[in-house]
Amino acid sequence: MKIILDDRRLMPEKGPYNCVRTYEDCIFLVRNFHTISFISLDYDLTGKETGFDVLVYMVENGNDVKHINIHSDHSIGVPKMRTYIEKHFPSTSLTFNPL
């Protein structure tokens, strides 16, 4: 399962990605496809939750992920997500690339 979470940016129209706009839709995919090969997260989302909250959910529910990409430019959220990923997903590849 490959997931891209972003509430505003244009999403890839082709490729093997499941593109979602909300925290709830992302959690639905994570919950139903427990092992994720790739997830790309934006920090800011339209609702109360953020991309960081997705990471917390994954840790709390034992989800495995092979590669995490952060495509956000949020000055507070990106370092917060990076620190959390490095602590809780030590064997996961981490990249920072825009969509």
Side-chain angles (χ1 to χ4, degrees):
M1 169 69 59
K2 295 181 179 184
I3 302 171
I4 298 175
L5 170 62
D6 196 293
D7 64 331
R8 295 187 182 154
R9 291 178 181 88
L10 291 175
M11 301 278 203
E13 293 183 20
K14 295 182 180 178
Y17 301 104
N18 293 281
C19 301
V20 292
R21 298 279 181 198
T22 67
Y23 167 85
E24 293 81 11
D25 288 343
C26 187
I27 295 305
F28 176 82
L29 292 176
V30 168
R31 185 180 314 124
N32 288 293
F33 298 93
H34 197 72
T35 300
I36 310 299
S37 60
F38 173 86
I39 190 165
S40 186
L41 299 169
D42 187 15
Y43 180 79
D44 273 328
L45 303 173
T46 303
K48 179 179 91 173
E49 291 87 1
T50 65
F52 179 81
D53 295 308
V54 171
L55 295 171
V56 171
Y57 177 90
M58 292 174 71
V59 168
E60 289 176 350
N61 290 278
N63 292 98
D64 185 34
V65 59
K66 299 194 184 322
H67 182 169
I68 299 172
N69 181 65
I70 299 174
H71 62 262
S72 179
D73 58 0
H74 193 277
S75 63
I76 295 170
V78 170
K80 180 178 177 180
M81 291 170 75
R82 178 184 195 148
T83 300
Y84 193 82
I85 291 165
E86 289 172 347
K87 179 177 181 181
H88 296 283
F89 298 94
S91 61
T92 297
S93 296
L94 174 60
T95 55
F96 302 89
N97 294 304
L99 288 179

